[in-house]
Every structure is written in C-alpha cells, then in structure tokens.
Amino acid sequence: MFVLAQSSQSARQQQRQQQLNSKAAQGSRRQPACRQSCPESAARTTSSRIARKQDSTPNGRTQAPGGSLVLRQLLDLGQTPGEDEVSEIISVELDHWKGNPRSATVVLSSLAKHRLPRIAKHVLTLMMVRSVETNVFHYSAAISACEKGGQWQLALSLLSSMPDMRVIPNEVSYSAAISACEKGGQWQLALILLSSMPDMLVIPNNICYSAAISACEKQGQWQLALSLLISMPHMRIARDEINCNAAISACEKGRQWQLALRLLSSMPEETLMPTKISYNAAISACEKGGQWQLALSLLSTMPDRGAIPNEVSYSAAISACENVGQWQLSLSLLSSMPHLRLIPNELSYSAAISACEKGGHWQLALSLLSIISDLRLVSNEISYNAAISACEKGGQWQLALSLLNSMPGMRIERDEISYSAAISACEKGGQWQLALTLLSSMPQVRVIPNDISYNAAISACQKGGQWQLALILLSSMPEMRIQRDTISYNAAISACEKGGQWQLALALLSTMPDMGVIPNEISYNAAISACEKGGQWQLALSLLRSMPGRGVLHSEIGYNAAISACEKGGQWQLALILLNSMPDMRIERDEISYSAAISACEKGGEWQLALTLLCSMLDVSVVPNDISYNAAISACEKGRQWQLALILLSSMPDVQVIPNKIAYNAVIISCDNSGKWQLSLSLFISMPDRRVMPDVITYKSAISSCEKRGQWQLAVGFLGGLPDPLAVAREEGRVRWR
C-alpha cells in the first residue's frame, strides 16, 4: 500500500507539473503587445524565467523563500512599487500558491521582516484577483508587515477587510494591528481594537495587552496603562516582565515615581524577575520626580537583584543628580563607569555637563565637552547647549559665542535652545548689540526664534538702556507668530523703567490682560519703580494698593519702590506708614526699606525719626548699610546735630560699615555749619588715612571753613590739593555709568 501511495503521489505531481507548464506557455503567448515590445520589460521577464528555472528543484518547485529569486526580486522593488511590477514577478507563482498557500505565507512573512508593507498589500491583492486562497496567516503576515513598516492605517484597513473576505481574524492579526497603532502613536485605536476582540470571539493574549500598554505608555496615558495591567489577571492572562516594564515606563513618563517603585517591588511577588529595563525605567521615574537619593539606591541594588547596570542606568542616575544640583555626585558616577567596564556615552556626558551647568561650574562643563571629542564620541546638541548655558551662567559670553559658532563645524545642528542660551549670555554680559545680531541671524540658518530667544534679547536691550529697541522687539513678536508672555512684558516694562519712561511702563502694564497675559508681582514692581523714578508717588501708591485686587502678592521690592517714591516726593509720613505696614502684610523689611524711609525723614527734616529708624534696624535683625548711615548723618547735618552726626560716623566701623566720602562730607559740613571748623578740618585731613579720598565737595567745604575763619594760608594750601577737574569728571562719569 505504501508503494502504491507513493506511485499515485508521483503521478499527481507529474500531472500538476504538466498543467503548470501548459499555463505558463499560454501566459507567455497571451502577453500584451506592449510588454513584448518593451526591451526592458522583456529582458526582466526573460531573466526572471531563466533565474527562476535555475533556482528551482528537479520537480519544478520553487526553493525555500530564503534563497528564492521571487523574494529577492520583490525585495529589490523598494518601498513603493506599483501593483503591476509586483504582478510581473509573482504571476507564475500565484498558480503554484493555489495548491500550496503556505508558500505565500512564507513570502509574506519575509516581506514583513524586511518592512515592506506596500508589497505585501499588493501580493495579497493579487492573490485575491487570481482566486488564490487567502487565509488568516496571509492576512496576519501582511498586517505584521504594516506594523513593522509604520503603516498603521494600512494595517487597520487589512484587519477590517478580513470578515468581508470570509477570513476570521485571530489573536495574531489583532496583536499585529494593535502593535501598528502603538508604533503610530494611536493609543485610542489600540484600545478600541483590544476591547473589540471579544466581540469577534477572539481572546486577547499577553502580546495584545503588552502592545496596548506600550501604546498608552508612549503617549503619557499612565492611568490607562496601569488599568490594563491590573485587568490582565481578571482576563486570565498572566503578566510578564514586558507588561510590567511598559507600565513602569508609563509611570515614569507620567512622573509617578511612587507608582513606578510600587510596580517594581511587586514584580517578585508574581515570580517575575525585574530586568535592567525595569530598573532603568524606575530610576528614570525617580529622576523626573526629583528623587535622586532613591535613584542612587536603585542603582546600587541592581547587582544584588541580578540586574547588571548599563550605560542607560548610569545616565539616568547622573541626570537625577543633575536635576537637583548634585553636580559632585554626577561627576562621581561618571568617573566610576569605566571601573565597571561601562563606557560612558554621549547621554552620560551630556547629563554630567548639565549638572556642571546647574552648579555654575562652566570650566568643568567645557572640560567634559572636550573629553567627548577626545574619546571620539559623537557630540550632540544637548551637550553643546548645556555647555553654552554653563558659560552663560558663568558670565562667559565670549566662550558661549565660540561654542555656538563651532557647532556647524562639528556637524551639530544649532537649534532655538542653542541660540537662546547664547543670547542670554550676551544679555548677562551687557552685549545687547550681539544679542540682537544673534536673534536676527536665526532665520538665516533656518532656526525659528521662540519666546525664550526674544525674551533674552528684550532683557539685553533693557540692561543696555535701549528701551526703544525693547519695545520694537516686543511689538514684533506677534508677526513672528511668537506668543508674548509675562517675561516678555516684564522685561519691556523694566526697560521703560530704566529709561525713565513711566508712561510707557504703565501703558504696557495696562495692556497685558487684553493680550491674555496676566501681570505678576514682577510686572507691578517694575511699573512702581518706573513711577518712583518719574516722581509719580501717587501712581506708585495706586499700583501698590491695586495688587491684591488683581490677585498679585506684594513683595519687599514693590514696597521698597513705593517707599522710595514717597521719599522723592517729600511724603515722609506715607513712607513711614508703608514701612510700618510691611509686617502686617507678612513682608520682610530689609536695609533698602529702612534706608528709603530714613532718607524720607531726612528730606522732611525729621532727624529724630531718622535716628529712631536707624537704631531700630538692629532690633529687627536688619543690618544697616552705608546708605542707611549716610541718610541718617545727612538728617543730623540738616538738623544741625553735629555731635550726633560725628557719633554716627565713628560708630560705623562697629557694625562693619566702612564710611565713604558721602558720610564724611555730611559730617564735615555739619561741623562747619556749627562753627566747629577745627574739627571739620581735622576730619578732612584724616580722610586719606581712612582710605577715603576727598572730592570736590570735601575740598570746597574745607576751603569754605578756612575762609570763614580767616585761615587763608590753609585755604591756599588746600587749593593746591584740589583734584584735576577733568579727572573728577571722568570719575563721576564712571560712577554714573556703573
């Protein structure tokens, strides 16, 4: 019987081969005239037949797809061939596939491995046109090709068409489609597919859930990812390390470090061994949550749990330390990696450079950047941006510009972060011209400025006293489709304040709500300072009083500016009221608050109140400064209290305040006005010994004192010591510039 069966099978194979040869000959005779007349097409067909014949077995069957010419020719078509090109290659194979559909499955699976979804779709379509059986394995392989090729729309189209072709999807079909949605960022569609499986009498498996959890994880839907993980036991689906890792990563992206650690610790309870992927995700979760201690603890426990740390583990831990300013620990971790046979990569170095940047160590940041080059690692924009920011914070604007200019030579793309950091460096260095040059050059290198770039440039103009340019930049932001924010307006208001443009400062403040920008305490403080400089004490007080009604908290800066405004306006009573009300508003009074109030009393001729305020500063733990003492001494001078003025001058070193020429001038004038010309001259003569150089005012007071007392010889001697007027002018100009 066995021999008969073999003979019968051999006869059937010979008959089948004859049919195939006959159909092939007929197909050759029926070729369109255009195809026969086209030399290129004819050559392709002839070579295909010859090669196919060479690649066939003695019984005429195609060899295994791994070495088949058909598959190689399909792969040579590229990503987007036409259906006719695919048809030309597989036209003969289609008849063979009618009797052996598994061969089609193998070809489709190979196309999936090579990420060729379009070809797989054409193959499937041609199979249906030629009435070749299409089953669930064919569709699943084609959907997998779409998944690997990033064609989620095509994957869903194939899945939805299966019932119309009387092909019932299985868990493999759904798994591939859900994975396609996951890779395409379509988490909603992934969940819809997962929930629809029971309706099609298909039971979801572990792979389906893993893909759905990963889809939620990638799009920051940590709640849904956890919900899916929790529901798996109820669906009688065992959880594995892949599911848990995806859920931990979801918590990491959602900044839920507590939940990430809880999932990590619960894995052994389900006999699941956490892997380095599990730990890396948990360390990253701690990094994002500012839990650098926990991140280091996880890193140190990994070897004991059978999970060997890798470069990703250390990079995440370095970033955790970097985020909280632990630059020493970041460098320690980086230096320990080679001892563990781990080669730091660009991520490790970038995190360490950022740590140095946050710690204000620009020299170390540049040193690490040079090490990346020495090790022939590929530098990226992250490391360069961090180094530029480090130079910016360290006041090294020249180095920041040098780094920015060197990036193209290193084949590193400059982005808006690079330029913004460099513009900020110029802003801090008082280089407003360079800041504007950088801003204007960004579109030329195809870098679109953002709000940070403009804000830094506006601040540069503000510090450079260029209030007109600051306003031009602010007004041009909408044209560049850049949203103006509170920082933009605050910088512009401060520019107007420094330029003495209190009207414009108030106009900007009032227009902020209309532009959808909410003023904060910085906005109000800058406007109050503008009013103070413009002598508008009423407006300054009005702004200060309106802040609570606008939901803006008071601060000592605003109160100090308002007190100074009252001082300049001769409103010493209001200045004292503001000073005394600060504790009730839970605002700390500082030396600026008291100095402004003392100056207000000095201008109002209230020397007693000025002295009272000065004496009370120490009672509230506020250390007087030279401005406080100068104002109090001037108050005594105006009140003809030369003894008190002299006492204040002599007591300044006791509180570690060095008397300056303003203090000496006030005491000298006070003594001179009270007829104590010898004492006045004695103070004048002692100034160089105290390392205080007399100025024109001092000399005029001394000469006036001699003139009043008939001491013309001394006056003539003092005249010889008068400083050069040009040098004085230069000195005063430098003081004003500063």
Side-chain angles (χ1 to χ4, degrees):
M1 291 294 291
F2 178 75
V3 175
L4 289 175
Q6 275 190 328
S7 299
S8 176
Q9 183 177 4
S10 176
R12 286 197 300 270
Q13 288 177 347
Q14 292 176 2
Q15 184 180 4
R16 175 64 177 165
Q17 182 60 40
Q18 291 174 358
Q19 292 175 353
L20 289 173
N21 293 337
S22 176
K23 289 181 178 180
Q26 293 174 4
S28 176
R29 287 194 298 270
R30 290 196 299 266
Q31 281 186 345
C34 65
R35 182 175 296 177
Q36 291 179 357
S37 63
C38 178
E40 185 178 354
S41 177
R44 184 190 295 177
T45 304
T46 303
S47 63
S48 175
R49 287 175 186 164
I50 295 173
R52 197 176 296 133
K53 184 177 180 180
Q54 293 174 350
D55 200 39
S56 61
T57 60
N59 62 3
R61 294 293 179 87
T62 304
Q63 288 183 355
S68 72
L69 178 65
V70 171
L71 181 58
R72 289 203 298 271
Q73 286 181 323
L74 289 175
L75 297 179
D76 289 340
L77 292 177
Q79 293 290 335
T80 57
E83 186 177 314
D84 58 338
E85 295 180 275
V86 177
S87 174
E88 185 178 342
I89 294 173
I90 69 170
S91 58
V92 177
E93 295 298 318
L94 288 171
D95 292 326
H96 164 60
W97 289 350
K98 288 182 180 179
N100 188 4
R102 185 175 181 183
S103 298
T105 305
V106 175
V107 171
L108 287 167
S109 298
S110 297
L111 292 173
K113 290 180 181 178
H114 288 85
R115 305 174 187 272
L116 296 171
R118 296 293 178 187
I119 300 179
K121 173 67 167 56
H122 291 327
V123 169
L124 202 61
T125 301
L126 291 168
M127 289 174 66
M128 291 183 286
V129 170
R130 294 282 289 271
S131 301
V132 179
E133 175 193 349
T134 53
N135 57 34
V136 67
F137 302 107
H138 300 141
Y139 271 92
S140 296
I143 295 172
S144 180
C146 297
E147 175 255 327
K148 289 181 170 60
Q151 298 292 327
W152 62 269
Q153 300 96 329
L154 190 55
L156 293 184
S157 176
L158 289 173
L159 183 69
S160 63
S161 68
M162 291 177 70
D164 297 334
M165 303 305 298
R166 298 182 180 180
V167 179
I168 305 302
N170 62 8
E171 65 275 7
V172 179
S173 317
Y174 272 96
S175 297
I178 294 173
S179 294
C181 292
E182 175 248 326
K183 291 183 178 176
Q186 304 297 317
W187 63 271
Q188 300 97 328
L189 293 175
L191 294 184
I192 290 173
L193 289 177
L194 184 67
S195 63
S196 67
M197 291 179 68
D199 298 334
M200 298 296 292
L201 302 179
V202 181
I203 300 175
N205 60 12
N206 182 285
I207 299 174
C208 299
Y209 268 88
S210 294
I213 293 172
S214 293
C216 295
E217 173 256 323
K218 288 185 177 178
Q219 299 303 314
Q221 302 295 322
W222 62 270
Q223 299 96 329
L224 291 173
L226 286 183
S227 177
L228 289 173
L229 185 72
I230 293 170
S231 67
M232 290 179 68
H234 302 294
M235 300 295 293
R236 298 182 180 179
I237 302 173
R239 295 185 286 207
D240 60 12
E241 291 85 356
I242 297 175
N243 315 133
C244 292
N245 291 347
I248 294 173
S249 293
C251 294
E252 175 254 325
K253 286 187 171 60
R255 300 183 179 275
Q256 302 295 318
W257 61 271
Q258 300 95 330
L259 292 175
L261 294 184
R262 194 177 303 169
L263 285 174
L264 182 70
S265 62
S266 67
M267 289 178 69
E269 299 172 4
E270 300 184 43
T271 66
L272 300 176
M273 291 300 296
T275 63
K276 67 178 67 175
I277 298 176
S278 319
Y279 275 97
N280 291 348
I283 293 172
S284 293
C286 293
E287 175 251 320
K288 285 187 170 61
Q291 304 297 316
W292 61 274
Q293 299 96 330
L294 290 175
L296 295 183
S297 176
L298 289 173
L299 182 69
S300 63
T301 59
M302 287 179 69
D304 299 334
R305 304 295 172 85
I308 305 301
N310 59 7
E311 293 84 0
V312 178
S313 320
Y314 270 86
S315 295
I318 293 171
S319 293
C321 296
E322 170 251 321
N323 287 339
V324 292
Q326 298 292 325
W327 62 272
Q328 300 96 330
L329 287 175
S330 294
L331 294 183
S332 177
L333 289 171
L334 183 69
S335 62
S336 68
M337 292 178 68
H339 301 296
L340 300 171
R341 296 182 179 179
L342 295 176
I343 300 175
N345 55 22
E346 58 273 10
L347 295 178
S348 316
Y349 277 102
S350 295
I353 292 172
S354 295
C356 294
E357 174 254 324
K358 286 187 171 61
H361 294 276
W362 60 270
Q363 299 95 330
L364 290 175
L366 294 184
S367 176
L368 291 174
L369 189 66
S370 66
I371 290 175
I372 294 178
S373 178
D374 295 340
L375 296 177
R376 296 183 179 179
L377 294 174
V378 179
S379 300
N380 55 23
E381 64 276 7
I382 298 175
S383 52
Y384 265 83
N385 291 349
I388 293 173
S389 294
C391 293
E392 174 253 325
K393 290 185 178 177
Q396 303 297 316
W397 62 269
Q398 299 96 329
L399 291 175
L401 290 184
S402 177
L403 289 173
L404 181 72
N405 293 330
S406 68
M407 291 176 71
M410 302 295 295
R411 296 182 180 179
I412 301 174
E413 290 290 334
R414 296 178 289 190
D415 56 16
E416 62 278 6
I417 300 175
S418 322
Y419 273 92
S420 297
I423 293 172
S424 292
C426 293
E427 174 250 325
K428 287 186 170 58
Q431 303 296 317
W432 62 268
Q433 299 96 330
L434 289 175
L436 294 184
T437 301
L438 288 175
L439 183 69
S440 63
S441 68
M442 292 176 70
Q444 299 171 9
V445 291
R446 297 181 180 179
V447 178
I448 300 174
N450 58 11
D451 55 340
I452 300 175
S453 317
Y454 266 86
N455 292 346
I458 294 173
S459 294
C461 293
Q462 172 249 319
K463 290 186 177 177
Q466 303 297 316
W467 61 269
Q468 299 96 328
L469 292 176
L471 293 184
I472 291 173
L473 289 175
L474 183 71
S475 63
S476 67
M477 291 176 70
E479 299 173 5
M480 300 294 295
R481 297 181 180 179
I482 299 174
Q483 188 70 35
R484 293 180 288 196
D485 58 14
T486 308
I487 298 174
S488 320
Y489 274 94
N490 290 350
I493 293 172
S494 294
C496 293
E497 174 252 326
K498 286 187 169 56
Q501 303 296 318
W502 61 269
Q503 300 96 328
L504 291 175
L506 293 183
L508 288 174
L509 181 68
S510 64
T511 59
M512 289 177 69
D514 298 334
M515 297 292 118
V517 182
I518 307 301
N520 59 13
E521 65 273 10
I522 299 175
S523 320
Y524 275 93
N525 293 343
I528 293 171
S529 294
C531 293
E532 176 253 325
K533 286 185 170 60
Q536 303 296 318
W537 63 269
Q538 299 95 329
L539 291 174
L541 292 182
S542 177
L543 289 174
L544 188 71
R545 291 172 184 146
S546 67
M547 290 174 67
R550 305 292 175 85
V552 182
L553 296 176
H554 286 126
S555 67
E556 65 274 8
I557 297 175
Y559 262 84
N560 291 347
I563 294 171
S564 293
C566 293
E567 174 253 322
K568 290 185 177 178
Q571 304 296 317
W572 63 269
Q573 300 94 331
L574 290 176
L576 292 183
I577 291 173
L578 289 174
L579 181 71
N580 293 329
S581 66
M582 290 176 71
D584 297 332
M585 302 296 295
R586 296 182 180 178
I587 300 174
E588 291 290 334
R589 295 177 290 192
D590 56 15
E591 66 277 5
I592 299 176
S593 320
Y594 275 95
S595 296
I598 293 171
S599 292
C601 294
E602 177 255 325
K603 284 187 171 60
E606 301 292 332
W607 62 269
Q608 299 94 332
L609 289 175
L611 291 182
T612 301
L613 289 174
L614 183 68
C615 296
S616 66
M617 291 177 69
L618 295 176
D619 297 336
V620 292
S621 302
V622 177
V623 179
N625 59 14
D626 56 341
I627 299 175
S628 316
Y629 270 95
N630 291 345
I633 292 172
S634 292
C636 293
E637 178 257 315
K638 289 184 179 178
R640 297 186 176 273
Q641 302 296 318
W642 65 271
Q643 299 96 332
L644 293 175
L646 191 59
I647 291 172
L648 289 176
L649 181 68
S650 61
S651 66
M652 290 176 70
D654 297 336
V655 290
Q656 297 182 346
V657 178
I658 299 175
N660 56 21
K661 55 189 171 186
I662 297 175
Y664 269 94
N665 288 345
V667 176
I668 289 171
I669 292 172
S670 178
C671 293
D672 180 56
N673 290 339
S674 300
K676 304 297 181 182
W677 65 275
Q678 298 94 337
L679 186 55
S680 176
L681 294 179
S682 175
L683 288 170
F684 170 72
I685 294 170
S686 68
M687 289 178 67
D689 297 334
R690 304 293 175 88
R691 297 181 180 179
V692 181
M693 296 308 297
D695 60 6
V696 174
I697 296 175
T698 320
Y699 273 97
K700 284 183 178 180
S701 299
I703 293 171
S704 174
S705 180
C706 294
E707 182 261 331
K708 289 178 182 178
R709 304 299 181 269
Q711 302 292 325
W712 61 269
Q713 298 92 341
L714 284 175
V716 171
F718 291 154
L719 280 173
L722 270 171
D724 178 23
L726 185 58
V728 172
R730 283 198 298 265
E731 176 67 20
E732 290 177 350
R734 188 170 73 251
V735 170
R736 283 197 298 270
W737 181 80
R738 286 178 181 174

